[in-house]
Amino acid sequence: MIIRKISKNVEPDIEDLKHIIKENVLGNKTFRYFDKREFSCLDNHLLTNLYYVENDCVGYGHLDHDGENVWLGIMVLDNHVGKGYGNTIFESLINSTNSDISLSVDKINIKAINLYKKYKFVIFSENEYSYKMILKK
């Protein structure tokens, strides 16, 4: 797998990011992180990556700094789920910081919840639709 750090100032990076977001929206789930955010939010990220197998972009991941919290975001395109790419993306992100990491996950996203629990994330709050989880380092 090739990992490419992206920047909002590099047009091919943004085009690839737009493409994978569009592709996932057409699938059975959505990646809503950019629904209410401009791509300028990448400036606040500690790390923003696109993940490729050969020339095919298979996913996205970021670590976002929000006050004292570090939030993780990850997305694997539907047609690449179940191939181990989520594990690779996830490990690359959690191994890139020594900070505690938080994330939010929809309650219906059982595969993602199981992945997060595998890496020792625990639920610290919930609402009707989602869990907030944390990995203490």
Side-chain angles (χ1 to χ4, degrees), residues 31-134:
F31 180 65
R32 295 182 303 272
Y33 182 76
F34 289 102
D35 285 356
K36 297 179 182 174
R37 294 173 180 88
E38 299 293 324
F39 289 114
S40 61
C41 73
L42 298 176
D43 290 340
N44 193 49
H45 288 185
L46 301 171
L47 181 66
T48 311
N49 291 334
L50 291 173
Y51 298 83
Y52 295 84
V53 173
E54 298 176 12
N55 292 325
D56 195 16
C57 188
V58 299
Y60 162 90
H62 75 261
L63 294 175
D64 185 4
H65 198 265
D66 180 23
E68 294 186 19
N69 298 317
V70 174
W71 289 86
L72 181 141
I74 182 174
M75 189 231 357
V76 176
L77 286 170
D78 286 344
N79 58 334
H80 295 289
V81 170
K83 299 178 182 177
Y85 301 139
N87 284 304
T88 302
I89 294 170
F90 202 68
E91 286 178 13
S92 77
L93 294 170
I94 64 174
N95 291 332
S96 66
T97 183
N98 292 322
S99 299
D100 295 347
I101 302 173
S102 300
L103 57 82
S104 179
V105 60
D106 292 344
K107 287 182 174 180
I108 62 169
N109 195 346
I110 303 302
K111 286 183 181 181
I113 293 167
N114 289 336
L115 173 67
Y116 304 149
K117 286 181 176 180
K118 173 182 167 183
Y119 287 95
K120 309 297 185 217
F121 277 76
V122 295
I123 296 169
F124 69 88
S125 72
E126 67 180 281
N127 63 32
E128 183 179 351
Y129 304 104
S130 65
Y131 297 116
K132 288 198 179 4
M133 301 179 80
I134 191 165

